Amino acid sequence: MLNQCILVGRLVGNPISETIESGVNKIKITLDIKRSFKNPNTLEYDSDLVTISLWEGVEGAALDFLKEGSVVGIKARIQQASIETKNGTIHIPEIVGEKITYINSRKEFD
């Protein structure tokens, strides 16, 4: 079995850092990923916003190098998180980044 996906897109904001209860650092980034075909109604490329979690090891470099507008490739896996509610368990897919390839970094020029 193989659980792997490759995503290439542009960051829509700066990485958001958080520390979970166990003291482990986690970063969330959101990629704007253009679809490979045009919308027949608008004749423009639609895009999807995909949120990716980065954990220790990958997250340190992400904070240093990723900024809004950066274009990156991410090798990731999909895992399922479970949340208990009063109506039962909700299962939510989560995309976990394992490796980042920095394709282009948007820099500000004076």
Side-chain angles (χ1 to χ4, degrees):
M1 306 293 162
L2 181 64
N3 179 2
Q4 187 175 59
C5 61
I6 305 293
L7 303 167
V8 178
R10 184 178 300 276
L11 265 71
V12 297
N14 290 325
I16 299 170
S17 178
E18 49 186 74
T19 303
I20 62 173
E21 292 176 14
S22 64
V24 175
N25 293 330
K26 174 182 179 180
I27 291 179
K28 289 200 173 206
I29 60 173
T30 301
L31 290 184
D32 179 0
I33 302 172
K34 299 282 185 214
R35 294 185 183 170
S36 61
F37 55 90
K38 290 184 179 182
N39 180 321
N41 298 323
T42 64
L43 299 178
E44 304 223 354
Y45 291 100
D46 288 337
S47 62
D48 296 297
L49 296 177
V50 177
T51 301
I52 301 165
S53 299
L54 305 172
W55 294 87
E56 284 187 314
V58 179
E59 53 83 30
L63 275 179
D64 292 338
F65 296 106
L66 294 182
K67 303 286 184 252
E68 181 177 353
S70 297
V71 177
V72 295
I74 304 223
K75 177 184 158 222
R77 63 183 161 81
I78 300 171
Q79 71 181 26
Q80 188 164 293
S82 298
I83 299 173
E84 296 295 329
T85 68
K86 63 181 179 182
N87 297 327
T89 304
I90 298 173
H91 301 286
I92 302 169
E94 179 181 21
I95 299 173
V96 178
E98 296 178 337
K99 183 177 180 182
I100 301 173
T101 300
Y102 302 94
I103 297 171
N104 182 8
S105 179
R106 180 172 287 179
K107 297 185 180 195
E108 295 181 23
F109 296 98
D110 293 327

